[in-house]
Amino acid sequence: MAGNWKMYKTPSETRAFFEQFAPAVKGVTDRDIVICPPFVDITTAVEAATSTRIEIGGQNLYWETKDGAYTGEINGRMLRECGARWVIIGHSERRQYFHERDETVYKRTVAALESGLMPIVCVGEVLGDREGGRTEAVLGEQFANGIARLSLDQFRRIVIAYEPVWAIGTGRTATPEIAAEAHRFIRHQAREKFQNEQVRILYGGSVKPDNIQGLMAQQEIDGVLVGGASLDPASFASIVNF
Ligand code: PGA
């Protein structure tokens, strides 16, 4: 159950969130809980999550694993030392606004693994693709150009997030059936490529406390990546505790 805070919250707001959120998920032992705040909040979040089962992740990283002259960038080594264990890679907002491509998704995934971070690799189609009947073609291409290039050992350490772009921040969730169908397709690709290896696939796109039950009832859906509804401690806690 992962939260993507996007460009929301300062360190003091992060502290306030954890004061409410940590006690609300205290009893949870059978699922991973991850929060991915902006870089500047990571240290605060890690401190606030000490002695809880909540883990912290970044929302991106640069693919150069060695430090260097890359103004504005952050690498996996830095994230790790701050206490992050996870990192989101290839989110559709990165693809849409920051020229992220399958090639850079691949490079960032490898860099994350080399730094000991667990990547949450995002794939998903835009509305025009879905309406034009190209969902599987697009997902297949994203899989082939990014995830399929990993070694089996690398593949074992990633989580995939299926996020239909038309459902992100729009209030328009994919129905549990639509999500499950896409998950099935991605899982099929993964099994073909990686010798039936298991992989966790999260659904993301307008996940809320009132639709989590239906989504998680689908066998194909292993967890969720939550944007807007992860910003409020009570609402994210109710999603985590579904
Ligand atoms: P949303 O965002 O839950 O606000 O739709 C999901 C995401 O972008 O990861």
Side-chain angles (χ1 to χ4, degrees):
M1 315 304 283
N4 169 16
W5 280 4
K6 311 192 177 186
M7 198 175 74
Y8 289 94
K9 295 193 195 293
T10 62
S12 65
E13 289 161 354
T14 300
R15 222 168 285 122
F17 174 93
F18 276 86
E19 274 165 25
Q20 285 191 51
F21 180 69
V25 297
K26 214 169 135 209
V28 177
T29 53
D30 64 345
R31 57 202 76 179
D32 292 334
I33 310 169
V34 181
I35 291 185
C36 302
F39 290 136
V40 293
D41 299 328
I42 286 183
T43 308
T44 306
V46 168
E47 274 167 23
T50 311
S51 319
T52 75
R53 290 189 64 255
I54 307 161
E55 296 185 330
I56 307 303
Q59 297 174 13
N60 185 26
L61 86 174
Y62 191 47
W63 55 77
E64 279 298 337
T65 47
K66 285 204 202 79
D67 298 0
Y70 304 103
T71 303
E73 294 300 320
I74 282 173
N75 65 22
R77 195 178 81 85
M78 295 166 181
L79 283 171
R80 282 293 285 143
E81 188 171 322
C82 291
R85 299 205 54 208
W86 298 81
V87 63
I88 299 171
I89 292 176
H91 189 277
S92 64
E93 284 149 20
R94 304 286 325 163
R95 294 181 191 256
Q96 189 179 348
Y97 305 126
F98 305 100
H99 313 293
E100 189 83 65
R101 296 168 286 111
D102 293 342
E103 175 64 22
T104 53
V105 170
Y106 169 73
K107 283 159 82 166
R108 290 183 214 271
T109 305
V110 171
L113 291 166
E114 278 176 14
S115 313
L117 291 160
M118 289 179 284
I120 301 173
V121 183
C122 301
V123 296
E125 79 287 359
V126 299
L127 186 60
D129 294 328
R130 170 137 311 253
E131 289 179 343
R134 290 186 298 275
T135 299
E136 293 196 351
V138 169
L139 293 177
E141 202 174 310
Q142 289 174 349
F143 184 88
N145 295 338
I147 300 166
R149 292 169 63 194
L150 300 173
S151 68
L152 177 59
D153 181 54
Q154 289 171 324
F155 177 74
R156 286 193 173 122
R157 291 179 285 143
I158 72 164
V159 169
I160 299 174
Y162 168 61
E163 299 209 311
V165 180
W166 47 271
I168 294 178
T170 58
R172 215 179 134 173
T173 336
T175 62
E177 291 73 26
I178 289 179
E181 194 182 316
H183 282 218
R184 215 165 2 256
F185 176 77
I186 296 164
R187 205 178 296 283
H188 178 72
Q189 307 267 307
R191 289 223 170 102
E192 297 250 293
K193 172 72 199 170
F194 295 103
Q195 299 139 36
N196 286 321
E197 188 64 30
Q198 303 282 341
V199 62
R200 287 192 281 184
I201 307 180
L202 313 182
Y203 168 77
S206 297
V207 176
K208 308 282 177 223
D210 64 4
N211 58 27
I212 184 69
Q213 211 70 24
L215 288 163
M216 291 306 294
Q218 293 287 331
Q219 221 190 342
E220 280 292 340
I221 301 181
D222 302 313
V224 284
L225 179 55
V226 186
S230 73
L231 294 170
D232 175 65
S235 107
F236 193 46
S238 97
I239 290 172
V240 169
N241 288 315
F242 82 93

